[in-house]
Amino acid sequence: MATDLEELYKTLSEAESCKSLLKKHLTKEVFDALKERRTSLGGTLADCIRSGKEIKHRHFLKCKLLRQRMGARRSS
C-alpha cells in the first residue's frame, strides 16, 4: 500500500499538464533522498508537495526553503 507521500509524488509526477518547478526539480532521486527527512520545525516533503498543490505559484519557494533547512540540519 502506498503512503500519502508516495501518492502525492505519483500524482505530481504523472500530471502531464503541470509545468511547475516543483515537478521539474523533484526527481525520483531527490524524492528518495528527502522522503524520510524533517525540518527542525517538523516539516516534511509531503507538506511541501501538498502546499505546492494548494498554492501553485509558491511551491518552488517552499521546497527551496525546505531544502535549505534540511541542508543546514545535515551540516550541523
Side-chain angles (χ1 to χ4, degrees):
M1 184 167 99
T3 65
D4 180 46
L5 174 59
E6 291 166 339
E7 286 296 321
L8 286 167
Y9 177 73
K10 182 180 176 187
T11 300
L12 177 67
S13 64
E14 293 177 354
E16 292 181 20
S17 64
C18 180
K19 305 292 185 204
S20 75
L21 291 173
L22 175 62
K23 179 180 177 181
K24 179 180 178 181
H25 294 285
L26 187 61
T27 63
K28 181 66 173 154
E29 293 79 20
V30 173
F31 172 80
D32 288 338
L34 298 178
K35 67 183 178 183
E36 300 295 327
R37 309 236 12 204
R38 287 187 170 268
T39 68
S40 59
L41 298 175
T44 65
L45 186 55
D47 296 331
C48 180
I49 296 171
R50 198 174 294 109
S51 71
K53 285 177 65 178
E54 294 170 6
I55 308 170
K56 293 181 181 182
H57 67 281
R58 297 183 67 195
H59 50 162
F60 178 71
L61 176 60
K62 289 185 179 292
C63 285
K64 183 177 179 183
L65 291 172
L66 181 66
R67 189 172 61 239
Q68 288 172 345
R69 287 181 182 155
M70 287 181 172
R73 193 168 163 217
R74 188 178 336 165
S75 60
S76 54

